[in-house]
Amino acid sequence: MTSPSPVRRRHVFYLSGFDPNGPPRYHRLYRDGAERQAACTGAAIAVGPRTRDGADAVTWDVRYRPPGAADDHAPVATTYRFPRWDDIVRAHWWRGLGPQLADLLATTWQYLRTGALWKTYRQRPVMATIVFMPVVLLALFFPGLALGLWATVALIEAWQSDTPLAAPVAGVTATGALALLWLRSARRSWHAQWILRSYGFIGRMEREGVPALDPVLDRIAADLCRQVRDGGDDEVLVVGHSLGSVLAVSVLARALRQDPDLARRGTALGLLTLGHCTPSLSNLPSARRFRDELATLAQASDLCWVDFSDPLDAYGFAGVDPFAAAGVAAPRPGHPQMRSPGFGQLFSAGRWRRPRIGRHDLHAQYLCASAPGHAYDYFAITAGPKTLADRMARGPQAG
């Protein structure tokens, strides 16, 4: 068995989730996480400044020297590319209550009438519950508001007429007030507006289309093909986080259709999805094009696809095979590899313990530093000396 060649140069295409924040936030997140990871593991990780690459992408350089390597050891050179689609997100980031409610009702009806919501529930009950929660909150809010108004008026009339109804009506009023306070707290806890917007965008992709998105995906696919054909990298890695996992599938499928030999050109080609939510789109009966794109990846025998999704992450489909969920047959076992980053162990000891980490923060943890000795290391995967396929063949070890 021949030993794998170490990675000296790598190019990463990072596709963010449904987030209106652009490159500054993600560059800062990567830089701060790399600094913290280096302090934990002893690796030397240097993250360069952001550089514009035309109007459509931002890049930054990463230099990575493994733990224990001598100072004169040549670091791995990685170019981390952030293709921009945050302008599209902002265009669909409904701010007014009216547009949000209209979008919520249209998308909920779409998922209900097509059976996609029930299918999602069978795959990932917690995800379906979270997706449907804004509708539940909305259904509770208006009756609660009406009850509170009625009780207030009845209470005033009861006191004015000195009737015995005052006490029970006061109780109803207090109960309504407590219910409204609970709804307000639940709304913040469940990040209802963020869920509503991303859930609505996915439905809109199939219900009416997002014309501005296709040219972006085609452009990224063309850039990916050029990068692999250039032959200057040992690995080209596509990373999709959250809704970015859906975009990453589309980009790679389009690239493979442009160049069917892309994964056999001598450059290792990898796909890393984090907290994937591909079933949220593939469950819709009308999402035939996306299921065809999944089928293209299923037939890519030289593609290494690894998904890290944690059962504690309520916003992802942990343990749900993207191909099986879409009814696509994969010709080889372990494609994709389904892994857990083990967040439950990460937050269980020492200074890494977080007594109460929010769901939103947990969903972002895939991009952050991990504890010393922890198997999942985002910075070693995206900047270290091993290809994704080699790391996974030997387990997601550090280094």
Side-chain angles (χ1 to χ4, degrees):
M1 180 179 178
T2 59
S3 59
S5 300
V7 175
R8 295 180 178 85
R9 288 185 57 184
R10 173 189 287 106
H11 201 101
V12 174
F13 288 78
Y14 172 75
L15 293 158
S16 64
F18 193 72
D19 186 352
N21 292 291
R25 176 185 184 270
Y26 285 92
H27 175 256
R28 183 171 60 253
L29 186 66
Y30 194 96
R31 182 197 61 206
D32 294 349
E35 181 179 346
R36 190 174 183 183
Q37 191 70 61
C40 290
T41 63
I45 314 174
V47 181
R50 301 191 312 273
T51 303
R52 290 186 62 178
D53 189 354
D56 305 317
V58 170
T59 65
W60 55 86
D61 293 329
V62 185
R63 297 294 179 267
Y64 183 102
R65 189 178 291 115
D71 291 342
D72 59 352
H73 184 280
V76 180
T78 295
T79 298
Y80 198 98
R81 176 182 294 268
F82 186 99
R84 303 201 64 168
W85 77 291
D86 48 294
D87 57 334
I88 298 175
V89 176
R90 285 191 293 273
H92 290 267
W93 192 262
W94 307 141
R95 296 188 182 278
L97 180 60
Q100 288 188 35
L101 291 179
D103 197 42
L104 170 65
L105 295 175
T107 307
T108 302
W109 173 241
Q110 178 185 13
Y111 273 74
L112 282 171
R113 67 179 173 79
T114 61
L117 186 62
W118 173 241
K119 191 173 181 181
T120 300
Y121 181 81
R122 286 184 295 170
Q123 295 163 345
R124 187 83 168 118
V126 66
M127 181 65 170
T129 302
I130 286 176
V131 163
F132 202 59
M133 185 53 61
V135 182
V136 175
L137 293 177
L138 188 64
L140 291 174
F141 177 78
F142 286 109
L145 182 61
L147 177 63
L149 290 174
W150 172 83
T152 302
V153 173
L155 178 61
I156 294 172
E157 292 179 348
W159 274 333
Q160 288 176 345
S161 60
D162 194 24
T163 65
L165 289 175
V169 171
V172 172
T173 302
T175 303
L178 289 174
L180 290 176
L181 288 174
W182 175 83
L183 287 173
R184 182 182 178 187
S185 173
R187 177 181 175 274
R188 290 197 303 267
S189 174
W190 288 80
H191 291 271
Q193 289 196 30
W194 177 80
I195 297 169
L196 187 155
R197 288 173 174 131
S198 3
Y199 166 54
F201 183 80
I202 292 172
R204 206 174 311 123
M205 287 173 68
E206 286 308 307
R207 190 169 65 249
E208 57 196 53
V210 182
L213 187 58
D214 270 325
V216 172
L217 299 178
D218 288 336
R219 185 191 68 242
I220 300 172
D223 290 342
L224 175 62
C225 288
R226 280 193 296 271
Q227 194 64 40
V228 173
R229 289 169 185 158
D230 180 64
D233 300 302
D234 300 301
E235 180 180 46
V236 173
L237 183 62
V238 180
V239 180
H241 174 230
S242 190
L243 184 57
S245 62
V246 172
L247 273 58
V249 167
S250 294
V251 164
L252 256 178
R254 295 174 194 217
L256 288 170
R257 288 170 183 173
Q258 291 179 30
D259 185 351
D261 295 322
L262 195 65
R264 296 188 290 270
R265 290 189 174 276
T267 298
L269 182 61
L271 171 60
L272 174 67
T273 50
L274 307 170
H276 89 96
C277 58
T278 57
S280 60
L281 180 56
S282 65
N283 284 345
L284 290 169
S286 58
R288 288 180 289 272
R289 183 172 66 166
F290 183 65
R291 288 191 292 274
D292 287 344
E293 290 173 336
L294 281 167
T296 298
L297 297 194
Q299 298 301 319
S301 59
D302 295 286
L303 173 67
C304 175
W305 180 357
V306 179
D307 175 73
F308 278 98
S309 296
D310 196 280
L312 292 178
D313 175 18
Y315 296 161
F317 284 78
V320 179
D321 187 306
F323 295 141
V328 173
R332 55 190 170 104
H335 175 53
Q337 294 188 46
M338 307 299 296
R339 304 270 185 152
S340 170
F343 290 160
Q345 300 170 358
L346 181 61
F347 300 120
S348 62
R351 65 189 180 93
W352 286 87
R353 181 171 182 171
R354 298 185 185 181
R356 186 175 182 180
I357 182 171
R359 293 183 180 88
H360 213 67
D361 293 334
L362 189 67
H363 191 57
Q365 180 59 41
Y366 300 97
L367 309 176
C368 300
S370 55
H374 194 260
Y376 177 77
D377 185 338
Y378 181 66
F379 302 93
I381 294 173
T382 57
K386 296 183 177 72
T387 65
L388 181 65
D390 184 49
R391 283 181 60 82
M392 293 305 108
R394 290 158 175 75
Q397 72 276 20

